Amino acid sequence: MRHLALRRAVIATCREMNRLGINQGRSGNVSVRVPEGFLITGSGIAYEAMEPRHVVEMDLDGGYRGEVLPSSEWRMHLDLMRTRADAQAVVHTHSTYATALACLRLGIPAFHYMVAVAGGPDIRCAEYATFGTEALSRAMLAAIEGRSACLLANHGAIVLGRSLEDALGRAVEVETLAKQYWIARTLGAPTVLDEAEMAVVLARFRSYGQHRQANDPHAIEMPVRRDQPRRANRRTTRAKPR
């Protein structure tokens, strides 16, 4: 069986989605890129019962290997893998608050600067289309353009990432933002950050975490490192002329 370690990682990601409460039962699906195409969860298989053979290998022309049918949402994963080099992994969930907003056909505006985690000044909601169809995939591609996440009308959320861990973390962030936005709307009209501020936030996100960039005017200010080893004072000794 090819890509055994990655197949197990896909299963672990699915189970973690349910454990974290961002997915329920057999809903949602996960994929990860491999040199020949991608691996994706099989259709209608409970995650707790899933084995490596239930993770289906697909190519980028829409073909699959083995006796297990791929997820009914394989086309969304395929189209992201074909059109987005940054889609190394894809996580689709039916998380509660993101789905509730999607059922109202609402995206998530810049009510909080962390909306930038999806790569833009907002998180869009795709137009509605029946699940498992090419029409849904087209709507998803339009909504996720220039972003790494979007909501799917009357359906759920989908995110992409540099790895399974990255995609899962972003799915959690999107659900957290959806919950915060929902709560804020019950108290009033949230203040939305303007485009200029979000442009600054997105620029600062480039230096977020351990990816600080020198000479970036929007980089997050770094404190002085106290244990930085000092460079030895090297002196060049020249030979005396004879």
Side-chain angles (χ1 to χ4, degrees):
M1 185 179 295
R2 302 201 294 185
H3 311 298
L4 182 58
L6 270 181
R7 289 171 187 266
R8 288 173 173 158
V10 167
I11 295 170
T13 301
C14 292
R15 292 174 179 171
E16 186 67 2
M17 286 195 309
N18 283 8
R19 189 190 72 78
L20 291 169
I22 63 169
N23 204 63
Q24 306 80 36
R26 304 180 186 187
S27 63
N29 29 76
V30 172
S31 68
V32 64
R33 191 185 294 273
V34 294
E36 306 84 4
F38 62 99
L39 303 175
I40 187 169
T41 46
S43 180
I45 301 170
Y47 295 144
E48 291 306 316
M50 190 171 283
E51 299 175 6
R53 64 188 178 88
H54 297 135
V55 178
V56 184
E57 183 178 344
M58 294 195 67
D59 58 45
L60 296 181
D61 292 319
Y64 74 98
R65 296 174 179 271
E67 310 237 344
V68 176
L69 286 172
S71 165
S72 60
E73 301 293 7
W74 62 267
R75 184 171 286 280
M76 286 199 297
H77 295 256
L78 171 69
D79 287 345
L80 282 172
M81 295 289 183
R82 288 167 73 171
T83 61
R84 298 284 297 266
D86 54 339
Q88 296 299 309
V90 177
V91 169
H92 166 46
T93 74
H94 294 178
S95 54
T96 301
Y97 285 90
T99 301
L101 292 177
C103 289
L104 295 170
R105 312 285 175 94
L106 293 173
I108 306 176
F111 79 104
H112 191 290
Y113 74 87
M114 278 299 292
V115 165
V117 76
D122 60 5
I123 299 173
R124 306 184 188 108
C125 182
E127 294 183 3
Y128 178 77
T130 306
F131 83 95
T133 62
E134 185 177 358
L136 175 58
S137 187
R138 288 198 304 268
M140 178 268 305
L141 287 177
I144 207 170
E145 183 178 359
R147 306 283 191 275
S148 54
C150 73
L151 306 186
L152 305 168
N154 301 88
H155 192 149
I158 190 165
V159 306
L160 57 88
R162 300 182 300 273
S163 64
L164 286 167
E165 183 180 26
D166 182 47
L168 178 61
R170 184 163 293 112
V172 172
E173 291 278 9
V174 169
E175 174 63 2
T176 300
L177 287 162
K179 181 177 181 179
Q180 292 167 343
Y181 183 52
W182 182 279
I183 293 171
R185 281 176 60 96
T186 66
L187 300 175
T191 300
V192 175
L193 301 174
D194 61 27
E195 290 185 9
E197 174 58 17
M198 284 306 294
V200 173
V201 168
L202 287 162
R204 287 174 71 81
F205 257 64
R206 292 198 297 266
S207 64
Y208 180 71
Q210 301 299 312
H211 309 289
R212 306 294 168 91
Q213 298 181 9
N215 303 319
D216 186 340
H218 296 299
I220 297 170
E221 182 181 3
M222 289 186 289
V224 178
R225 181 175 173 182
R226 297 300 186 195
D227 64 341
Q228 185 78 27
R230 295 183 179 180
R231 293 183 179 180
N233 186 14
R234 297 178 181 177
R235 294 182 180 179
T236 303
T237 304
R238 296 182 180 179
K240 295 181 180 180
R242 295 179 179 177

